[in-house]
Amino acid sequence: MMRLSTAEAAAASGYSHQQIRDLEHTGVIPAASRRANGYREFDEVHLHALRAYRELAIAVGPVVARRTLSEVWNAESDVAAALLSALHVDLMREREQALDALAALRAIGGEPDAAPADAMTITELSAALGVRASTLRFWEDEDLVHPERVTARAARSYPPAAIREARIVAALRAAAYRIPQVHATITALRSMAEIDGPITALESRLGAISERMSVLLRVGAVILELYRR
């Protein structure tokens, strides 16, 4: 079995000395043994674990990858398998959300323009979208939706253009897009009056999720094999 110093493990894995010490200290890789002089000593299991962390971070992000691996190495075998399986569930949920949003955007794009009489109140629109009225007011504050103000009490009225924006915002938020990303999309839509941009973005996102799923399948098998050693 190979015996590697921290410097040798760094050279073999592509991580810096400090990164390896940090990953070992936080439990992201198994604990290193110690030489008589107190220095860390690594072997091929640690190298495989370092590479597995790099791939897992690609699949689920570095924060989740660090948290998961720090739990896996110290868990019972059934718990370790469950922790990795949960990552697949999360990715599948992310894929389903993106598919739902894509379907929603395509449906919106295929509908004829609504007549002015189709304007809705905030209560009607919140019910149609399945969100709270306070959520619509928040979207308005974030410049995502532009309702009109009518009546002496300045009640909100959502004309067809605002309804369309609200539906697109709801679809993108359901796909876990953050407010700044949604704002960028809505701003682009207002300038080009069509939805090919966000559809293309969602299609690209689905492709990326598919690649991450493949990586997760591959690295999950590696991690479980390392766990059994």
Side-chain angles (χ1 to χ4, degrees):
M1 179 180 291
M2 66 174 65
R3 304 291 182 182
L4 302 173
S5 66
T6 302
E8 291 168 333
S13 65
Y15 288 93
S16 69
H17 298 194
Q18 188 59 51
Q19 284 176 317
I20 290 179
R21 285 192 289 267
D22 290 343
L23 292 173
E24 191 258 352
H25 177 71
T26 55
V28 176
I29 62 174
S33 58
R34 296 283 179 161
R35 293 174 175 173
N37 59 9
Y39 288 106
R40 293 174 177 83
E41 185 173 73
F42 300 91
D43 56 32
E44 66 268 18
V45 171
H46 294 99
L47 291 183
H48 287 307
L50 287 166
R51 291 164 186 154
Y53 165 66
R54 180 179 285 117
E55 288 202 86
L56 191 61
I58 292 172
V60 300
V63 174
V64 175
R66 287 194 294 269
R67 182 178 68 242
T68 301
L69 288 177
S70 65
E71 295 175 357
V72 162
W73 305 126
N74 297 306
E76 298 294 332
S77 59
D78 59 332
V79 175
L83 288 168
L84 293 172
S85 296
L87 301 180
H88 290 278
V89 173
D90 290 341
L91 264 183
M92 181 59 71
R93 185 180 299 113
E94 187 176 339
R95 180 176 182 274
E96 290 172 351
Q97 290 173 336
L99 284 171
D100 289 344
L102 184 59
L105 288 175
R106 284 174 171 163
I108 294 168
E111 292 177 354
D113 291 338
D118 291 332
M120 303 174 75
T121 67
I122 189 169
T123 301
E124 291 169 337
L125 185 55
S126 64
L129 296 177
V131 301
R132 297 175 183 272
S134 59
T135 299
L136 287 175
R137 288 192 289 268
F138 171 70
W139 292 350
E140 180 184 353
D141 291 340
E142 293 296 322
D143 194 33
L144 303 179
V145 180
H146 289 167
E148 296 176 350
R149 298 302 183 109
V150 298
T151 76
R153 295 184 179 180
R156 293 170 176 82
S157 176
Y158 293 82
I163 293 170
R164 179 173 177 269
E165 288 181 347
R167 294 178 66 191
I168 293 172
V169 172
L172 295 177
R173 290 292 286 159
Y177 276 71
R178 297 180 181 276
I179 291 297
Q181 295 173 295
V182 177
H183 188 273
T185 297
I186 291 297
T187 300
L189 287 174
R190 287 169 180 161
S191 67
M192 61 188 177
E194 51 87 16
I195 62 173
D196 288 346
I199 284 181
T200 300
L202 280 168
E203 289 173 338
S204 177
R205 182 172 187 159
L206 283 166
I209 291 173
S210 178
E211 293 178 6
R212 290 164 58 200
M213 284 179 163
S214 297
V215 172
L216 184 55
L217 284 170
R218 180 175 65 251
V219 73
V222 172
I223 291 169
L224 287 178
E225 181 61 30
L226 292 173
Y227 173 88
R228 297 187 183 101
R229 291 188 183 183

